[in-house]
Amino acid sequence: MVVKIVEAYEKVEEVKILFKEYVEWLNIDLSFQNFSEEFNSLPGKYSLEKDGRLYIAYSDDSLAGCVGLRKIDIKINNNNNNNSLNNDNKENSNNNEVDGASIIIEKEQQKICEMKRLFVKSEFRGLKIGKLLVERLISDAKEQNYDYMVLDTLKTLTTAISIYKSFGFVEFDPYYYNPNADDVTFLKLKLK
């Protein structure tokens, strides 16, 4: 068995096959994530032009899995393991007074990416394809100078969670609205 990880920007139809199988396998309505829009605009947020990545994996010549990376706009507060969906993060800022008004000046802008749609077809599970996809995405994120990678996964996907944690991901608070949040684990990885 030879596993190949390849860029998928020109292989959108194959990505769509895998994304459809992924959603069927999850058996969860992903409309709260605007999945239909994401699906119809592929590569969309995963494109190189938008600082994203999109890969598919083959086992020999068979389509085996996929993963995507996209840039997201959140702030991560390292002090208490929380995060914020707005720009009120004062940890990386200085307060200055100008004409009696307080101004927050960002010391350093965080660059954060999100791993999405990691999926390996059932007949290829156990062959470390998921681990290879994660490894490739982390390497790319570091090359792109991302500060953090975040992701969410169902708590029932214990094998996936153990893979993520083997790369150093740690649990943290939800970073977006998810109606299934009680059934989801949110993870982050500091990249630099």
Side-chain angles (χ1 to χ4, degrees):
M1 173 206 64
V2 176
V3 174
K4 293 183 290 187
I5 310 288
V6 300
E7 292 181 348
Y9 313 107
E10 304 297 322
K11 300 177 181 291
V12 171
E13 292 309 312
E14 290 177 282
V15 173
K16 285 183 174 184
I17 290 168
L18 291 164
F19 275 25
K20 279 182 187 176
E21 192 169 331
Y22 165 79
V23 171
E24 290 170 7
W25 175 74
L26 278 181
N27 195 29
I28 292 177
D29 178 7
L30 295 179
S31 60
F32 69 95
Q33 293 182 353
N34 298 318
F35 180 77
S36 293
E37 179 183 328
E38 174 186 326
F39 184 85
N40 292 325
S41 67
L42 282 168
K45 294 179 182 180
Y46 304 114
S47 69
L48 291 169
E49 296 80 19
K50 295 190 177 184
D51 288 336
R53 293 292 184 268
L54 188 61
Y55 292 105
I56 52 178
Y58 294 94
S59 177
D60 293 326
D61 292 325
S62 299
L63 194 56
C66 62
V67 70
L69 175 142
R70 65 183 184 175
K71 185 176 182 177
I72 62 169
D73 186 24
I74 64 168
K75 300 285 184 195
I76 294 179
N77 181 343
N78 292 315
N79 290 337
N80 59 12
N81 211 29
N82 291 329
N83 47 280
S84 175
L85 296 177
N86 59 38
N87 292 323
D88 293 334
N89 183 0
K90 294 180 177 68
E91 174 192 344
N92 292 326
S93 63
N94 286 335
N95 288 336
N96 292 324
E97 291 260 328
V98 176
D99 295 330
S102 180
I103 299 174
I104 297 172
I105 301 171
E106 289 290 325
K107 282 185 185 174
E108 184 179 317
Q109 182 69 31
Q110 292 179 332
K111 188 175 177 188
I112 301 173
C113 62
E114 181 181 33
M115 182 188 307
K116 295 296 286 181
R117 315 296 177 225
L118 177 64
F119 176 68
V120 177
K121 295 174 78 160
S122 59
E123 62 266 33
F124 299 105
R125 292 186 189 141
L127 302 176
K128 301 196 184 304
I129 293 171
K131 190 172 184 177
L132 291 171
L133 287 164
V134 171
E135 187 174 68
R136 178 66 181 267
L137 220 55
I138 291 171
S139 175
D140 283 3
K142 287 178 178 179
E143 286 177 16
Q144 290 177 267
N145 282 324
Y146 279 108
D147 297 298
Y148 289 91
M149 179 180 287
V150 298
L151 63 88
D152 66 315
T153 189
L154 294 172
K155 290 178 179 178
T156 57
L157 301 180
T158 56
T159 301
I161 292 170
S162 67
I163 289 170
Y164 299 136
K165 288 185 175 182
S166 76
F167 282 98
F169 281 88
V170 295
E171 293 183 30
F172 79 126
D173 293 338
Y175 57 92
Y176 73 96
Y177 169 73
N178 186 321
N180 307 305
D182 290 343
D183 301 322
V184 174
T185 297
F186 296 86
L187 300 162
K188 70 176 178 180
L189 174 66
K190 186 170 181 166
L191 297 169
K192 55 181 175 172

